[in-house]
Amino acid sequence: MSEHLAICDNPRAEELRLAALAAARSAAELLRSTFRTSVNAEHKTNTHDLVTDIDRRSQQIITESLLASVPDSWVLGEEKISTQPGQAAAGTVQWIVDPIDGTSNFVHGVAFFCISIAAAIDGHLVAAVIIDPISGDEFTANLQRALLNDVLLHPQSRPEQSRANLMTDYPGAESLKQDGDLALQLFGQWIEDFATVRRKVSAALALAHVAAGWCDATIGFDTKVWDVAAGAHLVRMAHGSFRGLSYGNSQLADHECPGFIAQGPGADYPSLDSAARQIHELRTGGGTQEI
C-alpha cells in the first residue's frame, strides 16, 4: 500500500518538527539521567513487554510540551496519562508518541532506545523526531527533508541483498507462538541471504538508522503505530521506502499497519518480500488480498 502525501505543502510541517524536537529534548534529559540506575520495571502483556515509571514520566513531559506548543492538537501515546486528551477532529494535529521505544534495552542497561514523536494531520504524516538520548543523535523530518543533528540526510544507494545489513526484532516470543516453525525458518533464511542480521529491539531507532544509511533495511510483523510512525516518515524523507503490511486491512495507512518493510534508497530485497507473503498467507489463512 502507498500513502499519498496530499498535504505535502502544508505550512505547519516545520512548526511541528520544531515542537516535537523541543518536547523530545525535554524528555531525553530524564532518560539520560536515569539510564543504568535502579529502575523498577513492570510487566504489561507478558514478561517480555516491560514498562517503567520513567516511560510514564517521559510521556507526561512530552505530552505537556506538545499541547503547550500546539494547543489545537491531541496525543496518541503508548503510555496512558491523566493529561491525555480525547480524540481527533478534522484538520487537527495528531501526535503519535513512544516515550521510550526499546524499554527492555533501557531497563537492562543496553544503550539502544529512543524517544519517537510523529505529527499527522488527517492521517498523513507531516513531521517526525527520533532522539537517541545516549548518543545524542537527533533525527528529524518535515515534508521536504530529513536531518541528523541539523545536517541533511541523503544516504547513498544501498548494496545488493547479499551485502546488506538487516535489523529486525522478529521473531519475538509471541511471534514464535503465533507463527510456529515458519518464524525460525524466516530468520534462518535472512541469516543466509543478508551479510548481517541484527536484533536491536527498538523498531523506531532501527528505522532511524535506515534513514541515516547505517542500516540497509528493517522489517517487523507485530508493531504498533507509535513504534513506526516517526521512523516511517524519516525513511521516506531520506529517500528510502516504507511499506505497511496490513494483512488485508486496506483501510489502514502504512504507519498504522501491524507490519512493515523499510529499505534504504534503491534497495529492493526479495527475501523480505517473500517473508511478508508467507506471513500474510499464514495469518490470513491464505488470503490473496493486498499484504
Side-chain angles (χ1 to χ4, degrees):
M1 128 183 351
S2 175
E3 181 173 323
H4 300 289
L5 295 176
I7 48 176
C8 61
D9 60 345
N10 192 290
R12 302 197 67 185
E14 178 62 7
E15 168 204 348
L16 299 176
R17 182 186 76 89
L18 293 175
L21 181 57
R25 282 174 171 170
S26 297
E29 179 55 37
L30 170 67
L31 271 56
R32 277 191 293 270
S33 66
T34 54
F35 182 53
R36 292 177 178 162
T37 63
S38 297
V39 175
N40 292 323
E42 305 167 19
H43 299 151
K44 293 173 73 174
T45 59
N46 55 53
T47 57
H48 307 281
D49 187 11
L50 303 180
V51 65
T52 71
D53 182 57
I54 308 303
D55 292 79
R56 300 185 184 99
R57 288 168 60 188
S58 178
Q59 180 83 56
Q60 187 86 31
I61 290 168
I62 292 167
T63 298
E64 291 177 356
S65 178
L66 293 174
L67 297 183
S69 297
V70 186
D72 65 324
S73 66
W74 68 288
V75 177
L76 174 63
E78 179 174 13
E79 308 308 332
K80 302 299 182 284
I81 59 172
S82 60
T83 60
Q84 197 133 326
Q87 58 186 6
T92 59
V93 175
Q94 177 196 36
W95 299 107
I96 305 169
V97 175
D98 195 332
I100 308 180
D101 187 66
T103 297
S104 177
N105 286 343
F106 177 78
V107 169
H108 291 99
V110 178
F112 198 88
F113 56 89
C114 66
I115 295 163
S116 176
I117 304 174
I121 299 177
D122 295 333
H124 298 284
L125 298 173
V126 299
V129 168
I130 290 176
I131 288 184
D132 179 336
I134 305 307
S135 72
D137 287 326
E138 298 179 340
F139 306 85
T140 71
N142 53 26
L143 281 170
Q144 283 72 45
R145 57 185 183 169
L147 303 167
L148 170 58
N149 302 327
D150 291 326
V151 177
L152 183 67
L153 274 177
H154 197 351
Q156 297 178 345
S157 293
R158 309 324 299 159
E160 64 270 20
Q161 182 171 279
S162 63
R163 296 175 54 236
N165 168 20
L166 174 67
M167 279 191 192
T168 183
D169 298 335
Y170 182 86
E174 293 181 359
S175 300
L176 283 171
K177 291 180 181 179
Q178 182 174 11
D179 300 334
D181 290 343
L182 178 60
L184 294 179
Q185 291 170 12
L186 293 176
F187 190 76
Q189 190 65 53
W190 293 335
I191 291 174
E192 289 187 16
D193 292 344
F194 289 90
T196 58
V197 179
R198 294 183 171 89
R199 293 174 57 79
K200 292 293 192 177
V201 201
S202 172
L205 197 49
L207 285 163
H209 281 221
V210 172
W214 303 338
C215 173
D216 301 310
T218 181
I219 187 170
F221 296 123
D222 302 282
T223 51
K224 305 295 186 184
V225 62
W226 43 75
D227 298 324
V228 302
H233 191 60
L234 279 166
V235 168
R236 284 177 169 161
M237 292 301 101
H239 308 286
S241 64
F242 181 93
R243 176 163 64 98
L245 305 175
S246 69
Y247 308 139
N249 187 348
S250 60
Q251 301 303 308
L252 295 175
D254 276 345
H255 64 280
E256 297 172 332
C257 289
F260 72 93
I261 297 173
Q263 300 172 111
D268 185 11
Y269 299 140
S271 188
L272 302 184
D273 289 330
S274 174
R277 286 193 298 272
Q278 292 179 71
I279 290 294
H280 172 78
E281 290 172 3
L282 178 67
R283 295 189 181 185
T284 62
T288 57
Q289 296 183 36
E290 184 177 10
I291 64 175

